[in-house]
């Protein structure tokens, strides 16, 4: 009986505590409910009737941050985010070049979480825009550098997958560029940047913003001019020389792959490989080639763009809007000269230098079974470079 009495008292105490705690929690909930709650905005939902106005509560870069950053293009801002790094990441000038597998010089794509630019949806004012005419390999992307930074009010980054709402091109997330819609007045800005080195790789940016707000309308025009000089690997001591120079220079090594044992290179005295680049390796003579003397770290790029927006409030629930964006760009990409790769040459051509012919004849007599006393002994068979 004593055990049962203790059990009943314990149950009564627990029930009493539960009632008291519930009342206390209810009172605390009433006090919290009476306090003002900050508005929570949901963007990209299938639920109808929700208020989707305002900024997305994710990563945002506002107008003040844009002005304070000193950036000259949207990609200079976005590449600083941790969400745009890793994997098949955000690219700009690092993958630019003149080859078909490169991005055009000056173009830039955004990749969230390293899943590639084709998996990141880019919007302007919440609406889709056309992809770039040129692609990095087979990957489509929106050239974010075509949007003048002075026309942007804020950048919203949704770093989580949104394929259920937007489609497969939003697997990695969404980047939304919100243009300025309430600017009034006129603003002219000029910026310039360069290094203290003797080389000139300066950047110049001139932009003009004009906005006018009527009783029921708003108009904005943005004109932007950007130019950038090239920076080459040879312009800096750390990158002036290749760590491992190529042994296939612009002056080839010759071998008939039959009577000759070693390759023969055209030497400087014959108008060929320079003395400081001339060498001898396991395959014979070669002309060492420094590719860094030609490759550009940052290529030359010029662009001019105009953005115009017009909004007119027809009624409390109907708005007419127009957005026009036009850009013209010119770029120059630089790659190292292509190397020879066993290209066949006719030994009967009259263009062979006499000194090189003598070296080939000397090298071709390495075996008594295949003696070469004259260059004509090579006729009828190609000599490979």
């Amino acid at each position: 009986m004593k055990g049962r009495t203790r059990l009943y008292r314990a149950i009564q105490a627990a029930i009493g505590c539960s009632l008291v705690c519930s009342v206390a929690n209810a009172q605390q909930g009433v006090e919290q409910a009476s306090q003002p709650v900050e508005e929570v905005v949901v963007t990209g939902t299938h639920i109808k009737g929700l208020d989707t106005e305002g900024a997305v509560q994710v990563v945002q870069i506002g107008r003040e941050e844009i002005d304070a950053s000193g950036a000259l293009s949207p990609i200079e801002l976005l590449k600083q985010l941790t969400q745009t790094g890793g994997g098949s990441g955000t690219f700009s000038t690092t993958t630019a070049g003149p080859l078909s597998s490169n991005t055009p010089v000056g173009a830039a794509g955004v990749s969230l979480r390293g899943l590639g630019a084709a998996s990141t949806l880019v919007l302007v004012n919440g609406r889709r825009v056309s992809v770039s005419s040129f692609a990095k390999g087979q990957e489509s992307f929106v050239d974010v550098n075509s949007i003048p930074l002075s026309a942007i009010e804020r950048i919203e980054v949704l770093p989580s997958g949104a394929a259920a709402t937007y489609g497969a091109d939003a697997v990695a997330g969404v980047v939304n560029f919100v243009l300025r819609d309430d600017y009034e007045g006129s603003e002219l800005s000029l910026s310039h940047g360069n290094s203290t080195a003797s080389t000139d790789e300066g950047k110049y940016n001139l932009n003009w913003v004009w906005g006018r707000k009527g009783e029921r309308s708003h108009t904005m025009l943005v004109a932007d001019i950007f130019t950038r000089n090239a920076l080459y690997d040879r312009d800096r001591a750390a990158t002036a020389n290749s760590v491992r120079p190529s042994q296939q220079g612009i002056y080839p090594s010759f071998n008939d792959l039959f009577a000759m044992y070693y390759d023969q290179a055209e030497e400087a005295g014959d108008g060929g490989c320079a003395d400081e680049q001339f060498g001898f390796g396991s395959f014979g003579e070669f002309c060492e080639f420094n590719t860094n003397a030609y490759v550009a770290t940052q290529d030359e790029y010029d662009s001019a763009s105009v953005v115009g927006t017009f909004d007119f409030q027809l009624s409390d629930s109907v708005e007419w809007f127009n957005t026009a964006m036009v850009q013209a760009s010119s770029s120059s990409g630089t790659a190292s000269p292509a190397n020879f790769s066993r290209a066949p040459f006719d030994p009967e051509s009259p263009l062979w230098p006499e000194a090189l012919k003598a070296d080939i004849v000397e090298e071709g007599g390495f075996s008594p079974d295949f003696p070469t006393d004259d260059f004509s002994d090579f006729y009828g068979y190609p000599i490979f470079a």
Side-chain angles (χ1 to χ4, degrees), residues 249-251 272-279 286-290 294:
I250 56 177
Y251 298 104
C273 182
D275 290 335
E276 62 272 14
Q277 298 175 356
F278 191 82
F286 65 86
C287 185
E288 188 178 79
F289 183 63
N290 179 23
Y294 299 88

Side-chain angles (χ1 to χ4, degrees), residues 17 72 74:
C17 178
L72 300 180

Side-chain angles (χ1 to χ4, degrees), residues 131-338:
V131 299
S132 174
S133 301
F134 300 92
K136 174 192 174 189
Q138 301 298 321
E139 189 174 46
S140 62
F141 65 94
V142 174
D143 183 9
V144 297
N145 276 354
S146 63
I147 308 172
L149 200 61
S150 54
I152 300 174
E153 176 64 28
R154 67 179 182 273
I155 303 174
E156 303 171 347
V157 180
L158 178 63
S160 58
T165 302
Y166 294 103
D169 51 352
V171 170
V174 183
V175 178
N176 183 29
F177 294 90
V178 180
L179 303 182
R180 304 167 80 169
D181 60 355
D182 58 354
Y183 179 80
E184 289 188 85
S186 181
E187 176 183 285
L188 180 67
S189 61
L190 172 66
S191 60
H192 166 62
N194 205 342
S195 69
T196 58
S198 58
T199 54
D200 182 13
E201 56 272 0
K203 298 179 181 181
Y204 307 86
N205 184 227
L206 174 66
N207 62 72
W208 171 66
V209 183
W210 175 85
R212 183 178 181 274
K213 190 173 184 179
E215 183 178 349
R216 302 172 63 184
S217 64
H218 180 265
T219 306
M220 184 184 70
L221 289 174
V222 179
D224 185 272
I225 299 175
F226 176 79
T227 181
R228 180 186 69 201
N229 296 331
L231 170 65
Y232 293 91
D233 289 357
R234 62 176 180 263
D235 294 336
R236 297 293 181 268
T239 57
N241 298 303
S242 302
V243 177
R244 183 175 295 175
S246 171
Q247 293 188 6
Q248 294 180 341
I250 56 177
Y251 298 104
S253 300
F254 297 94
N255 196 322
D256 73 337
L257 305 181
F258 181 72
M260 298 174 61
Y261 184 77
Y262 285 123
D263 295 343
Q264 296 296 317
E266 188 176 3
E267 300 186 44
D270 307 324
C273 182
D275 290 335
E276 62 272 14
Q277 298 175 356
F278 191 82
F280 190 90
S282 58
F283 295 101
E285 298 173 350
F286 65 86
C287 185
E288 188 178 79
F289 183 63
N290 179 23
T291 56
N292 288 21
Y294 299 88
V295 177
T297 309
Q298 180 175 271
D299 290 293
E300 183 179 337
Y301 176 69
D302 300 290
S303 69
S305 56
V306 177
V307 176
T309 63
F310 175 75
D311 304 316
F312 188 83
Q313 197 71 35
L314 297 176
S315 66
D316 294 339
S317 58
V318 179
E319 179 186 22
W320 175 281
F321 61 87
N322 297 92
T323 302
M325 303 177 65
V326 180
Q327 184 193 45
S329 60
S330 174
S331 59
S332 176
T334 307
S336 61

